Amino acid sequence: MRQDSLTGGFTDAPQQGARAFRAALEAMARPGTIHEVAGAQAPAPVSPAAAVLLLTLCDRETPLYLAPGHDGQAVRDWVGFHIGAPLTTPEAAMFALGGWDALGPKDRYRIGTPDYPDRSVMLICETDTLAASGARLTGPGIRDVAHLSLPEIAAFRANHALFPLGWDCFFTCGTRLAALPRTSIVEAS
């Protein structure tokens, strides 16, 4: 196991985990808002924000899919050491990490069932840009309208049409994160 796999976790897990969880909840409750997080560093290409989300939301009982580009031995070792999440296929994942294109096709992920819509995947999409501009967002948690730089619009519109089923998504870029739940209505700006 490489040395960078053994480092990069929370140094003060209770405090950092609580702050990270709050940021993740705020992002999901208020789609389109961007939040700064800190305290974790995984091997490249995993961003600090994605590392924080993994440490906060995943554990030994949450199967994780690492998309091509993120599925390297150093990342696998880091996940194994810090989180213990079992690595799996897209179809069995509760969480999936990667770039937008690498995470495709999106119809292979779990979208829940009518009785248990919460049994769906959470995508953690690494992006090069995360800005409060671009696609127009409306829906629960958004006062009037919000904007977020999304990699595309069609997939989010199709996902919203499945409601109450569908997947939810976090976007990460450096130390920043935002979220887009399936309840959000996405339109071109």
Side-chain angles (χ1 to χ4, degrees):
M1 188 173 285
R2 296 170 24 157
Q3 182 63 30
D4 61 350
S5 299
L6 303 176
T7 60
F10 289 145
T11 55
D12 183 6
Q15 292 292 327
Q16 292 169 304
R19 279 191 224 108
F21 190 69
R22 177 67 181 200
L25 283 178
E26 286 287 323
M28 194 60 71
R30 293 178 177 78
T33 59
I34 297 172
H35 303 266
E36 285 283 332
V37 293
Q41 185 69 47
V46 179
S47 70
V52 165
L53 284 174
L54 291 174
L55 288 170
T56 304
L57 303 176
C58 296
D59 61 23
R60 296 175 1 155
E61 297 180 7
T62 53
L64 172 66
Y65 170 66
L66 297 174
H70 281 73
D71 188 11
Q73 192 59 50
V75 175
R76 285 174 167 259
D77 290 346
W78 187 86
V79 167
F81 181 76
H82 291 280
I83 302 164
L87 300 177
T88 190
T89 63
E91 296 79 10
M94 291 178 73
F95 289 87
L97 171 67
W100 181 253
D101 292 335
L103 287 169
K106 309 306 179 289
D107 62 358
R108 63 187 173 167
Y109 295 102
R110 296 192 297 182
I111 60 169
T113 66
D115 291 337
Y116 299 99
D118 59 316
R119 293 184 182 169
S120 61
V121 73
M122 174 68 70
L123 303 178
I124 301 173
C125 179
E126 298 265 47
T127 63
D128 293 329
T129 305
L130 189 57
S133 62
R136 182 179 191 273
L137 311 177
T138 56
I142 302 170
R143 171 166 266 162
D144 294 315
V145 67
H147 293 275
L148 190 62
S149 54
L150 299 177
E152 70 171 286
I153 293 174
F156 296 100
R157 292 178 61 86
N159 185 55
H160 176 73
L162 299 171
F163 185 81
L165 306 180
W167 37 262
D168 301 303
C169 191
F170 277 105
F171 298 95
T172 58
C173 180
T175 59
R176 299 166 5 118
L177 65 85
L180 190 63
R182 67 190 88 172
T183 57
S184 296
I185 301 165
V186 179
E187 300 169 310
S189 59

